[in-house]
Amino acid sequence: MHAIRFGIRASAGVSLIALALAGTPAFAAADPVSDAASPAAAAAPGASVSGRVYDATGVALPGARVVVEGTGAEATTNLQGEFTVAAPDAVGDVTLLIDYLGRLPATRTVTAAERGRAVSFTLPAAGASEGDIVVVGASLLDNTARALNQQRTADNTITVISADAIGRFPDPNIAEALQRAPGVGIERDQGEGRYINVRGAPSEFSAVSVDGIQIPSVDPTTRAVDLDTLPSDIVANIEVTKSLLPSQDADSISGAVNIATRSAFDRKGFALTGMAGASYNQFGKGSDYRGSAAVSDTFGPDRQFGLLLSGSYSKTHRRPDNVENTWSQTPAGLRVTETLFKDYDTKRQRIAGTGAFEWRPSDATHAWVRGTYARFEDDEFRDRIGILWSEGTLQAGSTDRAATYANTRIEKQVRHRKQINEIWSATGGLEQRLGEGTIRLDAAYSESSQTYPRRDELLFRSSLRPTLSYDFADANLPAYSLFTSKEHLQTGTYAFRENTYRSNTTKNDELTLAVRSDVPFDDTLTLSAGGKYRERHINADEERFRDRRTSAAPSQTLTGLLSDQESRNFDYALGNRFDTGLADAYFDATKATSERRLPQSLTADYTAEEKILGMFGMAKYVKEGTTLIAGLRVETTNFLSQAPSVSRTGAITTAQGKSGYVEFFPNLTLRQAFTPNLILRAALSRAINRPNFPQIAPRVLETTEGNTVRVEFGNPGLDPTLSNNADAGLEYYIRPLGLIAVNGFYKDLTDYRYTVNSTGTYQGLAAILSRPVNARRGELYGVEVNWQQQLSFLPGLLGGFGVFANYTYTQGHATFDGTYGGRSRFALPGQSKHMWNASVFYERGPVNLRVAYTKRSDYLDEINADNPALDLYWEGRGQLDVTGSVQLMKGINLFAEGKNLTNTAGVRYFGTRYRTYEYEKFGYTIFGGVRVKL
């Protein structure tokens, strides 16, 4: 690995030398082969042919190779199927070959009379032979073809998921859709995907963009975007870039995700798509609903204007089961010190919309204005029974799996929490071809916010102090003597303990201005340069209240606040649920008089401002199947943060954090097409991940769950993580439709960031103290294997089968200069060693079916600096999903989906699997409905 690391660090010199050579006339002189990966390959003024490529239903086909016969000049269609390809002269007939995976090659002669306008090409459906029935809007083969053709013609290593392919899986949000891609794992919240881990890296190592413009996170604790806020049915395309180009933002060490929204020019003329359905969840209450629609049209002279509107709505009502056990070090060894039984009643709602107005008066001009909006609301009631073992006395004879405590304490609590995430963005741009070159201008503004209108809690404590025991013979669902002795059901023994209220508001806004120019020379060399300015502001404000006065107690007893509904968690009978109406009435009546907590209402707040200026230059050389890109990106970062600081005497001052740095990102990318379907890719690059905002803001955040106090400290001296990357892969695209690919990667990390937990005291209370620190160096490496294929060579009906399968192996660690708990080398949080995706599909005529299984192995979540046995892990999780649909008539499709049919649990554990911290189940979901595509 040392040799590999040395080689990567030499990439800066190699890239700069290649860039210098690329600018020389000798290097530029070559045969006339156009830019094979550009949507619009340049030619001499007038010596070009422009057009669009569609399928039989009028849907644009991206990624098609358009080759000029006789010269070998070629171009690639963009998302709207558009291309411009160099022609041998400005007049005369030109014969074009359209090469698109999943379809037979097609040729067409463009006559001299047609040269002055965009020409239109129509290809038959994927996998279709003459006389086959075309299935509109439901073909798995068409969806696969769209993705594979874009991947095949890209300069660098990417993975593409098309919108219709997303619809073939039961994936309600973007995170769920991305788990199907090679090398992508997801982190879940109550069973739903929220964050992604690309190639075993932390979630914040992947920047997320909408239409090329980065969107800020709604969560104040991380740069990672909550992808459960974004529904999957408003997008046209998702692209995961795994090896960056100099023209891309450098802050994506593991992979950059770009979500392309729909365009009116995705199809000819008027288009209407929609979906509506309902579902049943095993752990739900009633049915869930989901629906979406998009309408678009082109109009005006030569249909140069395009307008699109889309919307999406979904609602779920779930009751997942959850048990948590906190383990701590005691004189007798590791023992459970707190157990919480959480009975959730959660309603989630997503609303999203997009709009786009575009102007394309010619193939040389494109202007647009786009907007997106997404809102995610999580409204949750939670009944909780708590056993505070640490309040009692550990009895003799305990083991690491079973123990008895005398004089324990029992609590019962209700919480009403409402969380609202909102993301909206507005973008405008112009792309103009000027002679041989192209210039593009972009301006964008985006806002995201996370608010908690309610974080209200009411806690009762029992006067009983029983002797209780636990036994972890079954690590998933341990035995607790409480459910035999049933002291928790004696509601008359409970008395008011406290109410607590929290309100949190975090707002982010970001302004982006960008310019890029591309100038070709001699049809073999293109020079590109550009810049981007990003300015972001963050404001995080939190207020906390708590009241333990007798006057704050409810007028009703605990018994009077309970409903007649049973509260049950797995097989644990928790008594009766709180009456939600009575609970809210109490919260609304007492919130205004509850006592403000200081300094906690101040020390969690912070503001921050970040300004990033990036500039790049690159040269792209294309000749006879070889594409070489060399370039350099430079980014300057200036960061300023402020947070209130409260001294022991109560004096309030303002602490400031400030940092600024300049980083260079050389890049060398090779694409070698031995044939149009056998492609080698290799890249040397550099990338960055800046610290999460609260990690470098000089603030303190205290949170309490039960008796466990956690305090998170900022570190203004934290350095960004830098990564020198090597990527290489070989891809073979199978005719008529398929792919076999192997991709390897190595990342040499500097100043990798960890959050390290230790035990200590905070304001006189025992607490878990969390601090971010830099590790001196680290590495992350692995390999991805991907196989997709339509098995059309099988006889008869068996030819309708196909396979999607991928496997990713990752390994990594980071090394500190100092030691923590006797260790200086740690695994990387979020990194699963193994990730699998496997699915079998069947498509014949109007019917298609798919069975899909996805799994990732265990991964580290948090490090304990004092004791390795208290490192927190997520257990690997597998999930089985099934989808099926039938085409009733042209444009009308009935579908059914089954999600998480294995009802696989979400599990976290300390050090060893039997030391379970959290065990949660979400149930399976059955969803069915109708899709329309007209």
Side-chain angles (χ1 to χ4, degrees), residues 187 195 197 202-203 710 752-757 827-831 856 858-864 870-875 907-911 917-918:
E187 300 176 20
Y195 299 114
N197 302 115
S203 53
R710 179 186 290 265
Y752 186 88
R753 261 185 341 275
Y754 279 95
T755 297
V756 178
N757 297 329
L828 304 185
Q831 179 235 317
R856 64 181 301 185
D858 298 11
Y859 61 93
L860 180 66
D861 188 31
E862 294 180 355
I863 292 172
N864 188 284
L870 289 176
D871 287 348
L872 187 60
Y873 291 85
W874 276 102
E875 183 182 40
V907 181
R908 284 193 285 176
Y909 61 90
F910 289 106
Y917 166 60
E918 179 180 18

Side-chain angles (χ1 to χ4, degrees), residues 17-304:
I17 293 171
L19 180 62
L21 290 174
T24 65
F27 193 82
D31 294 336
V33 178
S34 69
D35 184 345
S38 170
S48 62
V49 177
S50 298
R52 293 174 181 167
V53 180
Y54 299 97
D55 69 10
T57 67
V59 176
L61 296 178
R65 293 178 62 243
V66 182
V67 183
V68 178
E69 292 193 342
T71 70
E74 66 178 71
T76 300
T77 57
N78 64 9
L79 282 176
Q80 283 71 53
E82 300 168 313
F83 70 89
T84 297
V85 64
D89 50 52
V91 295
D93 296 349
V94 176
T95 301
L96 301 181
L97 168 69
I98 312 299
D99 175 22
Y100 193 87
L101 288 172
R103 292 166 170 80
L104 296 174
T107 59
R108 169 160 174 194
T109 298
V110 180
T111 65
E114 297 176 300
R115 292 286 295 272
R117 62 181 186 273
V119 292
S120 178
F121 299 83
T122 300
L123 299 184
S129 301
E130 188 175 354
D132 280 356
I133 298 173
V134 176
V135 180
V136 180
S139 172
L140 290 169
L141 301 179
D142 269 334
N143 302 328
T144 303
R146 289 172 61 86
L148 292 186
N149 278 284
Q150 292 176 74
Q151 292 173 201
R152 181 178 65 148
T153 53
D155 288 329
N156 49 340
T157 303
I158 67 172
T159 297
V160 175
I161 306 173
S162 69
D164 286 335
I166 294 170
R168 303 280 77 78
F169 288 107
D171 300 330
N173 65 51
I174 298 297
E176 297 271 351
L178 284 168
Q179 71 176 318
R180 315 291 176 181
V184 180
I186 63 174
E187 300 176 20
R188 298 178 182 272
D189 177 68
Q190 294 192 11
E192 288 193 76
R194 172 162 291 179
Y195 299 114
I196 60 170
N197 302 115
V198 179
R199 288 183 163 180
S203 53
E204 59 264 29
F205 277 23
S206 297
V208 177
S209 303
V210 174
D211 294 322
I213 302 299
Q214 279 198 33
I215 55 176
S217 168
V218 298
D219 189 329
T221 65
T222 179
R223 290 180 185 265
V225 176
D226 297 43
L227 291 173
D228 58 355
T229 301
L230 302 171
S232 59
D233 45 14
I234 66 169
V235 307
N237 214 53
I238 304 176
E239 180 181 294
V240 183
T241 300
K242 295 177 179 176
S243 62
L244 297 177
L245 293 174
S247 55
Q248 295 177 278
D249 294 326
D251 50 354
S252 288
I253 287 178
S254 60
V257 176
N258 183 53
I259 302 164
T261 59
R262 293 186 174 104
S263 164
F265 292 94
D266 291 343
R267 291 186 65 182
K268 290 182 180 178
F270 176 80
L272 173 65
T273 60
M275 180 275 294
S279 66
Y280 167 80
N281 178 262
Q282 181 186 9
F283 287 14
K285 183 179 181 182
S287 296
D288 302 335
Y289 305 95
R290 198 164 92 219
S292 63
V295 60
S296 65
D297 201 1
T298 55
F299 55 93
D302 298 323
R303 292 194 173 271
Q304 60 183 292

Side-chain angles (χ1 to χ4, degrees), residues 896-914:
E897 304 172 344
K899 186 177 179 66
N900 190 28
L901 296 181
T902 49
N903 189 18
T904 310
V907 181
R908 284 193 285 176
Y909 61 90
F910 289 106
T912 302
R913 176 59 181 85
Y914 74 79

Side-chain angles (χ1 to χ4, degrees), residues 332-402:
L334 290 175
R335 299 293 183 266
V336 177
T337 54
E338 183 174 61
T339 300
L340 303 176
F341 303 89
K342 299 179 178 180
D343 184 7
Y344 289 98
D345 189 337
T346 301
K347 298 176 183 177
R348 289 185 170 179
Q349 179 178 261
R350 291 183 181 86
I351 301 173
T354 68
F357 178 74
E358 300 176 71
W359 180 48
R360 298 173 184 250
S362 70
D363 61 334
T365 303
H366 179 201
W368 62 88
V369 177
R370 298 190 182 101
T372 63
Y373 174 79
R375 184 180 191 272
F376 170 76
E377 180 179 306
D378 187 345
D379 192 352
E380 170 189 288
F381 274 94
R382 187 192 69 188
D383 284 64
R384 192 194 79 189
I385 290 289
I387 306 175
L388 307 184
W389 309 95
S390 60
E391 295 281 313
T393 304
L394 181 63
Q395 302 299 287
S398 67
T399 69
D400 57 351
R401 293 180 186 244

